[in-house]
Amino acid sequence: METENLKVVNKRVLKMDALGLACGEPVFTDDVDINGMLYGRILWSHYAHARIKKIDTREAEKVPGVKAVLTYKNVPRVPHTTAGQGYPEPSPYDSYVLDNKVRFVGDRVAAVAAETPEAAEAALKLIKVEYEILPAVFDVFEAVKDGAPIIHDEEDAKNIPDAKHNIAAKFDFEVRNGDWFKDADFVVEHTYKMPYLQHCAIEPHTVITSFDHFGRLIIRTSTQVPFHVRRIVAQALRIPVKKIRVIKPRIGGGFGSKQEVLLEDITAALTLKTGKPVKIEYTRRETFISSRTRHPATVRLKTGVRKDGTITDAEMDITLNTGAYGSHALTVMMCSGSHTLPMYKVANNIRFIGKSVYTNLPVSGAYRGYGATQGFFAWESQMDIMANKIAMDPVEFRKKNYIRLGEGSPVFKAMGEGREGVEQVITSIGLYEGIEAGLKAINWHEKKKKYKNQSGQLRRGLGMACMMQGSGIPEVDMASATLKMNEDGSFNLMVGAADLGTGSDTILAQIAAEVLGVKAEDVIVYSADTDLTPFDVGAYASSTTFISGNAVKKTAEKVRGMIIAVAAKILDRKPDDLRLEGGKVVAKDGAACSLSEVANTSLYYYDQHQIVASASHYAHTSPPPFAANFVEVEVDTGTGKIAILNYISCVDCGTAINPELAEGQNDGAVLNGIGHTLSEEMEFSSNGTPLNASFRRYKIFNTADMPAIKTILIPTFEPNGPFGAKSVSEIGINGPLPAVANAVQDAVGARLFSSPFTPEKVIAAIKNLQPVS
Amino acid sequence: MTEKNKKITHRAKFSLKCFVNGEKVERDLDSSRSLIEFIRLDLGLKGTKEGCGEGECGACLVLVDGKAVNSCLMMAIQLQGKRLITIEGLKGRDGGLHPLQKTFMEEGAVQCGFCTPGLIIASEALLRENPDATVEDIKRGLTGNLCRCTGYEKVVSAVRKAQKLS
Ligand code: FES
Ligand code: FES
């Protein structure tokens, strides 16, 4: 089915919750008042690495209003991972609700619940802790050496490949077709680095737990993964899954930070202890010191290239800093290779060497881009360096090498997320069109000529980068939906998919509406509640449009079949002659009945039954979206300041189910990427204490900083996607780092290998100016 | 500064008289009550959000005597005799939807929506002061509001469109 005849999909449909949000409706986790609620507070470690020798809570418990104080002594000890991933999770089981050891500044020591916030604060101050301070390690290359402090020396942790050397995850793989670099005219080798970064969702993580009238635990939480939260809390607190209900209200952004059990377990433990509702919300400072971050990366990339533009060999060696716990340690590392290595054809040999290493710094986790961000910084910088080396236009060099329709890559099969991957070929790609559109929009060729011989302090340059991502995790992710019909011909769509501000509720309604021949507003979406909505792995891995979207489409098709069966009786026509259109069931000969007639018939008059269906989707491929990004910069060679004059991001996300929402996703991803390109970086003191844990000191872009960003959607049709759709949410974040690095090289001849590109680094690179090869 | 940022309390009471969204309100409050606590906890108006509690994100913006202020930085006592407008009290001239609420929705400027009430309040204050604001004025005027979802492009176009409506 092509996209021409679509009525709701690929059309402008207003985001269904936008008006309520713009009017300030009370729809977020913290917007409900619960009688008798206690305030939970957590005591955070001030030490990067220490053992708790003694912990005395007696004084704290005496504070009036204090109802519970938890330490490692009175909570279950069950090794688990906080990563919200499919079961069994590929991440090591190295986390505890509370432990007798702290492993970073910001690790949990104890928790308190009290009737007032003041009492909870006062109690925290009265908890007496005696620590044995342990040597700490902050550098990944120090941490893997013999004799380095062992961060996970506990005996009950599981799935840590080499705890003695602080290795939380490792994966190597090689495709060998002869001698390494024997066909290369040039061998290029560089190392690229990215620091700790924070997601900065504007809504801090918030959890409220309580008991319902059956004595079941209700967890109201700002999460991307309601079903994983239910499973992990059950595991960590040793309570049955059936005793837990997780409710996801509206979420104030996540970007991966909420693909994690951050507070749910400890808040629940306080409710179990007190029998009362408890709320814990992160302060902004706590989100910086104790939630999750992007994995800092060191990527060494060694590639061979022939004068004719053939890439002969590629060796990618990545070391990630997973911080104190191994949440997403294996999977982010693998995605740094699995999302980048298939992008360009490599004629002979490919090798990937990956490690995630524990240090006594904050815990890294899922962050939009998920390893591909780190990987593409290296790859797309190196593509320009190789093109320069062989004196080929970098755009032509990319065009010559990128993966084509119908082609596969040995990497797809070799590298999955935490295990072997799945063989696949590219079934849709709009990269060529994306490159052409971007070249035109930024006026590449003309400006290239104009900027050729510049002098003076301000120099302009152009850069570009190409990327791919995935659409869900093939043969891992599963989503389902339930759809039921109401007597006015409207529908309730229940999905486990977690709209975290992306607009997924709206696009899922559009998909159902398209199948049912109704307007999007006739589909009422409810997401997500583990009691009421069917299973969905949650909002991550760019899976919702593709996996949940397919589940909704299948469900709607089942319901359509049921509607037609009833209508066939009403109209006395053959089912095959009927179709759904404009809120009606219409026969070939023009006879028609309304959907409300069908619903009323099924509910009240004849062969009475509820028209309702469920379906699931599980995919064998993960069709990559593709993107080509272009940027024009102006570098002040005196101050080192980079100004972004113009940013064009062309994205092939297949059919955009809702073009405006797709653009918005990409705009936001690009600006986030520009933020980490120019200014964002978490800083730490020499003893591991975060130094810039506030919006004042950790600089994210505001309206005055924003450059002109333009997203151009490149329509393609993905045969495995719902109405041709692929994913869109993550890919845009991967472009700015390499594109800007390439543009700076174009402007001033200096190459930047470590982000963010601060004025000091730019000046140093200019001073150091030696032709990079 | 709502409950989560709360560290100290002074138990002294005071009696607050003010107007909230056009209606007269009288309350006895602790002198340590912050404005955002008064709004969210005492008045139960949840549209005003707290993103940082330290004056850096703008999610908590409200209008006090027509000026946009960070309610996380202000004490409730400072509202004495003044007029407070929160997002819930923002109305168009006909008493219906405010043009900014309409254009934010129409232009796709609302993603997660957590920043949206603050951005709309900031835009309203900006347009009241300078109805003919240029794109540059708008960008300069909204620097106190952080949004991590939209990239601001659609936010700026929503404000531009609202200008034309009013
Ligand atoms: S909450 Fe007031 S400025 Fe962020
Ligand atoms: S819409 Fe999410 S922070 Fe602005």
Side-chain angles (χ1 to χ4, degrees):
Chain A
M1 180 172 177
E2 286 299 337
T3 48
E4 287 117 58
N5 298 321
L6 296 174
K7 302 235 156 41
V8 192
V9 158
N10 197 227
K11 295 280 177 294
R12 185 186 149 84
V13 168
L14 295 181
K15 190 164 174 286
M16 48 202 351
D17 52 357
L19 187 59
L21 290 164
C23 294
E25 295 291 332
V27 291
F28 293 91
T29 304
D30 188 36
D31 294 348
V32 296
D33 289 325
I34 296 178
N35 280 341
M37 189 178 69
L38 304 177
Y39 296 90
R41 283 287 203 278
I42 297 173
L43 181 65
W44 307 110
S45 170
H46 292 291
Y47 297 106
H49 200 190
R51 203 173 299 282
I52 300 174
K53 279 168 60 185
K54 270 199 202 134
I55 186 158
D56 181 350
T57 59
R58 280 171 299 180
E59 291 300 311
E61 282 158 24
K62 282 187 204 146
V63 174
V66 168
K67 296 293 173 196
V69 183
L70 298 180
T71 68
Y72 72 92
K73 293 179 186 168
N74 56 356
V75 295
R77 180 181 177 87
V78 182
H80 64 278
T81 176
T82 57
Q85 303 178 311
Y87 181 80
E89 307 92 332
S91 300
Y93 281 9
D94 58 4
S95 301
Y96 306 87
V97 176
L98 290 163
D99 198 1
N100 64 349
K101 194 178 169 187
V102 289
R103 298 178 178 81
F104 71 106
V105 175
D107 207 350
R108 294 173 182 176
V109 177
V112 170
E115 283 168 350
T116 62
E118 294 85 354
E121 281 296 327
L124 286 187
K125 294 209 178 76
L126 293 172
I127 299 173
K128 289 199 202 82
V129 193
E130 204 179 301
Y131 291 101
E132 175 194 348
I133 312 290
L134 302 170
V137 60
F138 305 113
D139 179 87
V140 285
F141 299 103
E142 292 300 319
V144 296
K145 287 185 182 158
D146 285 338
I150 300 173
I151 295 169
H152 286 277
D153 54 355
E154 68 276 12
E155 302 217 313
D156 50 354
K158 293 193 183 75
N159 296 332
I160 301 179
D162 185 357
K164 282 210 174 65
H165 295 97
N166 291 312
I167 294 177
K170 60 178 182 180
F171 180 83
D172 295 350
F173 130 83
E174 186 174 20
V175 179
R176 192 71 190 267
N177 284 315
D179 288 346
W180 275 88
F181 300 108
K182 82 168 172 2
D183 293 339
D185 292 319
F186 299 97
V187 176
V188 181
E189 182 172 0
H190 290 289
T191 299
Y192 304 83
K193 288 188 175 177
M194 270 186 90
Y196 266 107
L197 299 167
Q198 230 284 320
H199 308 72
C200 301
I202 304 299
E203 178 202 32
H205 202 73
T206 307
V207 178
I208 301 174
T209 53
S210 58
F211 282 122
D212 71 1
H213 52 294
F214 297 120
R216 293 169 72 237
L217 181 69
I218 312 298
I219 305 177
R220 181 179 164 92
T221 174
S222 50
T223 186
Q224 299 172 224
V225 285
F227 287 88
H228 296 336
V229 165
R230 182 176 67 170
R231 190 192 71 240
I232 295 169
V233 171
Q235 173 194 18
L237 297 177
R238 292 206 185 100
I239 44 180
V241 163
K242 71 176 176 198
K243 285 274 187 194
I244 303 177
R245 172 180 180 185
V246 177
I247 299 170
K248 175 214 76 85
R250 294 289 96 189
I251 304 301
F255 319 110
S257 66
K258 293 167 180 170
Q259 191 199 338
E260 196 81 12
V261 171
L262 285 172
L263 293 171
E264 290 86 348
D265 58 332
I266 192 92
T267 318
L270 287 166
T271 285
L272 291 179
K273 184 88 184 165
T274 59
K276 297 210 174 318
V278 177
K279 172 167 81 178
I280 302 186
E281 321 169 66
Y282 270 138
T283 61
R284 182 52 55 188
R285 180 178 161 76
E286 287 169 332
T287 66
F288 276 102
I289 69 164
S290 194
S291 71
R292 295 295 177 262
T293 61
R294 188 184 293 288
H295 289 77
T298 306
V299 189
R300 185 182 58 82
L301 189 58
K302 187 173 177 185
T303 49
V305 61
R306 259 191 356 224
K307 285 182 190 145
D308 66 358
T310 307
I311 302 170
T312 59
D313 310 79
E315 178 179 86
M316 184 175 185
D317 176 357
I318 183 161
T319 307
L320 295 181
N321 184 348
T322 190
Y325 297 93
S327 161
H328 302 266
L330 178 63
T331 39
V332 168
M333 179 261 286
M334 291 187 74
C335 285
S336 73
S338 64
H339 287 338
T340 56
L341 285 166
M343 182 83 203
Y344 300 107
K345 261 162 284 178
V346 177
N348 298 341
N349 304 304
I350 303 174
R351 184 185 289 144
F352 177 85
I353 309 158
K355 265 194 248 41
S356 283
V357 178
Y358 290 120
T359 63
N360 295 109
L361 285 171
V363 188
S364 306
Y367 192 148
R368 196 176 213 172
Y370 207 81
T373 314
Q374 293 92 326
F376 274 120
F377 175 32
W379 261 103
E380 285 303 288
S381 299
Q382 191 115 332
M383 286 300 285
D384 261 41
I385 298 171
M386 284 193 279
N388 286 347
K389 199 85 193 165
I390 58 170
M392 187 180 261
D393 178 82
V395 179
E396 291 310 312
F397 181 51
R398 286 181 175 83
K399 276 190 187 165
K400 179 179 159 65
N401 287 299
Y402 71 74
I403 190 166
R404 300 294 201 270
L405 191 71
E407 287 179 348
S409 160
V411 179
F412 287 135
K413 174 95 180 101
M415 296 180 74
E417 280 201 27
R419 60 177 188 190
E420 210 178 61
V422 177
E423 214 161 271
Q424 66 170 359
V425 296
I426 299 302
T427 39
S428 60
I429 178 167
L431 191 54
Y432 181 85
E433 296 77 3
I435 292 173
E436 290 303 312
L439 288 171
K440 190 157 159 235
I442 207 150
N443 201 2
W444 179 272
H445 296 293
E446 204 161 295
K447 282 192 179 150
K448 272 272 183 189
K449 263 185 237 145
K450 200 165 135 200
Y451 300 156
K452 210 154 209 164
N453 297 308
Q454 299 177 80
S455 53
Q457 188 167 326
L458 301 179
R459 309 273 176 89
R460 292 187 173 190
L462 295 168
M464 64 94 66
C466 296
M467 287 85 62
M468 57 184 269
Q469 193 87 25
S471 299
I473 313 171
E475 300 188 356
V476 173
D477 286 347
M478 190 277 275
S480 50
T482 298
L483 187 69
K484 80 178 166 63
M485 189 178 195
N486 301 315
E487 55 252 75
D488 60 350
S490 68
F491 298 87
N492 292 108
L493 175 63
M494 277 78 73
V495 285
D499 190 333
L500 61 149
T502 51
S504 66
D505 284 356
T506 305
I507 67 124
L508 295 176
Q510 286 178 261
I511 290 171
E514 185 68 49
V515 174
L516 297 166
V518 296
K519 298 196 190 86
E521 69 231 39
D522 293 328
V523 180
I524 305 141
V525 185
Y526 183 67
S527 79
D529 179 328
T530 57
D531 269 14
L532 304 179
T533 58
F535 183 86
D536 189 299
V537 288
Y540 59 89
S542 288
S543 65
T544 304
T545 302
F546 185 71
I547 310 261
S548 312
N550 266 322
V552 167
K553 182 161 181 269
K554 282 184 186 170
T555 309
E557 285 163 356
K558 277 192 182 173
V559 166
R560 182 176 61 193
M562 298 170 86
I563 292 171
I564 285 179
V566 175
K569 293 262 167 22
I570 298 174
L571 298 171
D572 195 18
R573 296 287 186 286
K574 283 209 275 318
D576 285 352
D577 289 345
L578 301 179
R579 62 177 196 284
L580 269 62
E581 193 184 281
K584 291 195 183 92
V585 185
V586 185
K588 275 192 184 148
D589 61 6
C593 64
S594 70
L595 287 183
S596 71
E597 241 180 297
V598 171
N600 277 300
T601 302
S602 80
L603 291 173
Y604 298 116
Y605 306 133
Y606 176 77
D607 183 20
Q608 278 166 262
H609 66 287
Q610 167 73 61
I611 293 182
V612 59
S614 295
S616 305
H617 190 73
Y618 166 84
H620 296 284
T621 62
S622 173
F626 290 90
N629 284 9
F630 294 81
V631 64
E632 180 179 2
V633 301
E634 184 173 84
V635 182
D636 185 326
T637 55
T639 64
K641 211 171 157 340
I642 301 170
I644 293 181
L645 304 177
N646 206 350
Y647 198 101
I648 308 287
S649 178
C650 304
V651 201
D652 148 30
C653 59
T655 302
I657 304 286
N658 184 318
E660 194 164 59
L661 291 179
E663 276 169 25
Q665 282 292 301
N666 196 64
D667 288 350
V670 167
L671 192 68
N672 193 343
I674 291 175
H676 69 221
T677 300
L678 296 184
S679 71
E680 292 179 34
E681 172 171 22
M682 288 175 71
E683 292 162 342
F684 301 93
S685 74
S686 58
N687 59 14
T689 305
L691 294 174
N692 55 345
S694 70
F695 281 149
R696 190 163 314 167
R697 305 186 63 185
Y698 181 97
K699 172 81 184 140
I700 75 170
F701 272 39
N702 63 29
T703 44
D705 309 314
M706 72 186 264
I709 298 172
K710 189 171 170 56
T711 293
I712 301 176
L713 299 177
I714 307 293
T716 59
F717 190 88
E718 169 51 50
N720 300 303
F723 299 105
K726 302 189 273 190
S727 85
V728 71
S729 59
E730 295 187 82
I731 189 166
I733 203 168
N734 303 332
L737 253 184
V740 172
N742 293 339
V744 170
Q745 160 104 42
D746 186 49
V748 298
R751 173 61 56 181
L752 297 161
F753 292 103
S754 130
S755 71
F757 304 153
T758 56
E760 301 75 49
K761 285 188 197 160
V762 174
I763 292 287
I766 294 174
K767 281 218 177 96
N768 252 323
L769 205 66
Q770 355 162 307
V772 164
S773 57
Chain B
M1 183 184 61
T2 50
E3 320 100 283
K4 67 177 166 182
N5 281 306
K6 193 90 195 174
K7 295 253 156 75
I8 35 140
T9 324
H10 303 291
R11 287 288 170 210
K13 295 265 184 199
F14 74 102
S15 154
L16 174 69
K17 292 197 180 105
C18 60
F19 288 87
V20 176
N21 297 332
E23 281 178 32
K24 201 166 169 182
V25 169
E26 290 194 32
R27 288 287 165 96
D28 288 335
L29 296 175
D30 278 356
S31 57
S32 67
R33 206 69 167 158
S34 68
L35 181 54
I36 193 168
E37 282 179 308
F38 173 62
I39 294 168
R40 286 187 60 88
L41 305 180
D42 299 325
L43 300 172
L45 297 172
K46 306 294 190 182
T48 304
K49 305 297 180 199
E50 184 179 19
C52 70
E54 45 197 26
E56 294 292 326
C57 76
C60 64
L61 280 184
V62 292
L63 297 172
V64 173
D65 282 352
K67 291 245 175 322
V69 299
N70 286 317
S71 61
C72 72
L73 294 182
M74 211 170 137
M75 302 310 283
I77 199 168
Q78 293 171 278
L79 201 62
Q80 198 64 271
K82 301 206 158 103
R83 287 169 185 278
L84 169 72
I85 302 280
T86 66
I87 187 73
E88 291 88 346
L90 212 58
K91 292 274 169 334
R93 245 179 262 145
D94 57 356
L97 269 191
H98 189 277
L100 281 160
Q101 288 167 330
K102 210 163 157 257
T103 59
F104 266 63
M105 166 181 68
E106 287 170 355
E107 291 300 294
V110 183
Q111 282 190 30
C112 79
F114 197 80
C115 69
T116 308
L119 267 166
I120 289 180
I121 294 280
S123 309
E124 164 68 7
L126 177 102
L127 294 185
R128 272 193 199 180
E129 192 123 309
N130 181 5
D132 305 316
T134 62
V135 168
E136 283 317 307
D137 294 335
I138 294 168
K139 285 187 179 176
R140 239 176 291 124
L142 298 181
T143 51
N145 292 77
L146 296 178
C147 170
R148 194 60 149 172
C149 298
T150 61
Y152 306 108
E153 288 286 343
K154 294 185 190 300
V155 170
V156 174
S157 32
V159 179
R160 291 292 283 173
K161 190 165 169 191
Q163 261 177 324
K164 285 173 209 137
L165 287 185
S166 29

